[in-house]
Amino acid sequence: MKKVKLKIAIVSALGLTASHVFATGFVALPNTGFSVSGGTSAYTLCNTTGNFGSGYSVNPTLSANNTCAVFPITQLHSPGDPANYTGARLFPVATHSSSIIVNNTYTGNVNKNIGILRDLLWRSNDDSECIYGVHVQLNTTDYNPVAGNQYFEVNDVARGGWDGVDVSIAYSTVPVNASPVYRAGLTYTSVQHRPGDVDQPLTGLGSQPSINGLNSWPGNASATQQLADIDENWVDFTTDANNLDDDGSSSPNSGVYYVKSSACPATPYTPVANAIRLRQTFQELAGDGVTPNNFIEITLPGYAPAGAVLTPAHTNPY
């Protein structure tokens, strides 16, 4: 704790208070969605720099680009209200890590270890709420045996188990070299975003695919391929983590993406299968600028509220 106090003292000396460091930018995701031009969207916008990863993004600061952003001192510090997370509860009550394995037709049906996922769970002092955090770090494994460099690109992170409860979301870019959240929504469907595509997809699709978009290159998706319906059981974060990005704006680290909910897992804290889905939505070509980055979904275990049902089932490769 001496180190924590020292860090807070240093920040205060720079003109920022401890409450600023822990200040929460959590944004509620209503089950009625968000009113936008043309109708309703499941998604709200967060960091609008970098054209959703098709260019260079600017990480949030306390004074700019900070919608949905929080600023914990480290990844292990709670991003919640500092009055509700003190003492031991300032730190996670549970953590776990998983190797990110992709195995499908694009890998030649063999396991390729492309990185590591870290899942963190904080519980408030009075046990009235939990904050779930996920962080992805990708490595240099080429998942596709065809010629060229095909590094998996995390365009979306979906997290399930929220049916019937109110949730809010936030993110941090700790470490600094991390991909921010461009938008987040109460939906199961990750919607492709290429330059010129809509920022807040409308509802009205009538189905719940894991990925909606154009699974070929070049071109832009049709209007129907730019839709995503509200799903109260899932939160989707749109990001762009990639070890080698076709556009040059590479970051192998995601930020830490948070869901805050009054629903907490039962103890002992045990990760639930298929609670987290990583999606590659073919936003752009692979890092070699030639081969495709086709639709892929990878499922991983994660903490979830007690009794959570993680449907729909995963479909391989997406």
Side-chain angles (χ1 to χ4, degrees):
M1 291 302 294
K2 289 183 179 179
K3 291 183 179 179
V4 173
K5 291 178 180 177
L6 177 60
K7 289 180 180 178
I8 293 175
I10 292 172
V11 172
S12 297
L14 294 173
L16 303 175
T17 67
S19 62
H20 281 131
V21 176
F22 289 92
T24 173
F26 279 89
V27 175
L29 297 182
N31 56 21
T32 53
F34 297 88
S35 295
V36 298
S37 177
T40 300
S41 178
Y43 283 95
T44 186
L45 295 178
C46 293
N47 190 316
T48 57
T49 67
N51 199 8
F52 286 69
S54 292
Y56 288 88
S57 303
V58 179
N59 280 346
T61 66
L62 290 172
S63 59
N65 307 312
N66 54 17
T67 303
C68 312
V70 291
F71 302 92
I73 294 174
T74 72
Q75 287 186 3
L76 292 180
H77 286 73
S78 168
D81 185 338
N84 295 337
Y85 295 85
T86 60
R89 296 296 182 91
L90 180 60
F91 301 96
V93 296
T95 65
H96 87 275
S97 299
S98 299
S99 295
I100 304 171
I101 305 296
V102 58
N103 182 330
N104 57 30
T105 57
Y106 302 123
T107 70
N109 297 308
V110 299
N111 285 349
K112 295 293 183 74
N113 186 334
I114 62 169
I116 188 167
L117 178 141
R118 297 178 179 88
D119 199 19
L120 306 101
L121 177 68
W122 294 267
R123 200 175 189 118
S124 62
N125 295 344
D126 61 2
D127 297 334
S128 65
E129 69 179 27
C130 280
I131 298 176
Y132 305 72
V134 61
H135 170 255
V136 172
Q137 184 175 18
L138 301 173
N139 61 32
T140 58
T141 297
D142 186 335
Y143 72 86
N144 195 322
V146 302
N149 296 313
Q150 295 86 40
Y151 300 133
F152 189 83
E153 180 169 302
V154 179
N155 298 119
D156 287 77
V157 178
R159 182 161 208 156
W162 318 113
D163 196 26
V165 299
D166 295 330
V167 298
S168 56
I169 58 89
Y171 78 97
S172 73
T173 51
V174 178
V176 176
N177 179 27
S179 182
V181 168
Y182 302 113
R183 64 187 174 202
L186 201 62
T187 181
Y188 178 71
T189 302
S190 302
V191 180
Q192 180 184 85
H193 189 287
R194 294 176 180 175
D197 285 342
V198 299
D199 292 348
Q200 290 176 276
L202 296 177
T203 57
L205 182 59
S207 61
Q208 299 280 19
S210 58
I211 301 171
N212 197 16
L214 181 66
N215 198 15
S216 60
W217 187 270
N220 285 83
S222 67
T224 301
Q225 292 170 325
Q226 287 281 282
L227 302 177
D229 289 343
I230 294 169
D231 187 329
E232 297 181 33
N233 198 40
W234 289 88
V235 170
D236 184 83
F237 298 92
T238 302
T239 185
D240 185 35
N242 193 346
N243 187 69
L244 180 62
D245 207 308
D246 178 40
D247 59 37
S249 58
S250 304
S251 173
N253 291 296
S254 74
V256 185
Y257 305 150
Y258 306 103
V259 178
K260 181 169 66 175
S261 169
S262 59
C264 293
T267 56
Y269 306 107
T270 304
V272 181
N274 303 317
I276 297 174
R277 319 279 176 104
L278 306 182
R279 276 94 176 251
Q280 178 173 270
T281 66
F282 206 165
Q283 180 192 56
E284 57 206 344
L285 293 172
D288 57 18
V290 178
T291 50
N293 263 353
N294 298 96
F295 293 175
I296 296 175
E297 177 184 80
I298 302 170
T299 67
L300 292 155
Y303 299 116
V309 178
L310 285 312
T311 55
H314 166 66
T315 302
N316 199 4
Y318 67 92

